[in-house]
Structure formats: C-alpha cells, structure tokens
Amino acid sequence: MTLDPALRHGRLKPDDPQDNYAAARLIRDLTDQMNGADNYLLAKHDADQILHPDLGVLARLSEFFEAAAEQAQASESDEGWELHYRFADAASTLTDLRDDLADAPEELRGLGPSKPPHIREATTQKRSASPAPPTASARPASPPHGAQPPGRHR
C-alpha cells in the first residue's frame, strides 16, 4: 500500500506549524469548499466527504481510534488498558456521531437548488449597493413560526 502524496510529511510553508498536519490541511480545504459551495448539491458532496458511512472522514477516524486502542492494549500494562478504553470510547463516539448524521448530506441537498444562505446574503449585499432594490427572492427564507432552531436533538 502506498501513501497518498497529499499525506506525505512535508511542509507547504516552513514557518507555519499547522502545515505539518497533512490530514488537517485536507479537512481545512474541505471546510473552505463547504464555505464556498454555491449550491446545495456541492454542499451535499462536501458533507458526504465527512459523513459517508464507509468512506467518510468520521468512519476513517473511528477506524483510527480502534487501531490506536489495539496498539495501547498491546502494551499489556495498566496504563495501556486505560488508554485502550479511552481510544475505544472515542471510536464509539465518532461512530455514533456518524450514525446520527447519516442522512444529513441528502437532507442538505434537499434544501433546494437555491444558493446556501451565505451566498444569498452576499448577493443581497451586492444588490443593496446598486440602485435597484433587492427582490424578496434574494433574501434568506425565515423559519416557520414556532419552528425549533437547528441543532442536535436527542
């Protein structure tokens, strides 16, 4: 198995310590893509990179912590077993989070063909600088009266 060249130890900017973390760079780039998504199909694709049940980042992170748990257990020391349980708990938490959000990419896509709110707001700001008033369709839709704010509900 060969290592993805994007994950090789190397620095993009020698003065920036965060560039020593190749996986973090990839996540940062994905976050930038999500922030720049100009439609919900692209946003769904970006979310799926994290949340895909088998290939997404959360699934891979869970596998990483399972492997780390096995490494810690192999020491056969009390400290190793304690670390094993902490890593195993982390793997379980990530798996639960992935399961909680399994439908989120499709739900994101289902929000419609329109641009995400941050793009609509930028469009509204550009239009308000021009002589013509912004149209009602350029404003973000408000949630229905009495609707709960988005968030994680258990």
Side-chain angles (χ1 to χ4, degrees):
M1 173 184 249
T2 60
L3 183 64
D4 181 339
L7 296 176
R8 293 195 192 283
H9 296 286
R11 300 177 85 159
L12 296 179
K13 298 180 222 165
D15 297 332
D16 192 349
Q18 71 180 335
D19 283 332
N20 283 325
Y21 297 90
R25 275 196 322 264
L26 295 173
I27 298 297
R28 184 182 60 209
D29 292 347
L30 185 59
T31 301
D32 290 345
Q33 283 178 219
M34 177 63 88
N35 283 328
D38 63 358
N39 64 61
Y40 288 111
L41 181 60
L42 291 175
K44 180 248 184 228
H45 173 76
D46 294 338
D48 199 45
Q49 297 295 306
I50 302 295
L51 301 173
H52 188 278
D54 300 316
L55 305 173
V57 171
L58 288 181
R60 296 299 185 215
L61 278 174
S62 181
E63 292 171 359
F64 170 84
F65 282 107
E66 289 170 358
E70 294 304 315
Q71 287 293 332
Q73 179 184 352
S75 76
E76 298 182 2
S77 68
D78 290 341
E79 295 84 5
W81 277 102
E82 178 59 33
L83 190 54
H84 163 82
Y85 291 124
R86 289 172 49 206
F87 282 139
D89 285 346
S92 178
T93 298
L94 289 166
T95 298
D96 290 346
L97 180 59
R98 184 199 68 204
D99 292 347
D100 286 349
L101 295 170
D103 296 335
E106 283 303 322
E107 290 175 14
L108 188 60
R109 171 63 182 104
L111 293 175
S114 63
K115 295 180 179 182
H118 69 281
I119 300 295
R120 288 195 306 257
E121 289 170 9
T123 303
T124 301
Q125 290 171 357
K126 287 178 186 176
R127 289 182 182 168
S128 65
S130 66
T135 64
S137 64
R139 288 187 295 248
S142 58
H145 181 67
Q148 293 293 322
R152 189 171 178 186
H153 303 284
R154 286 202 166 243

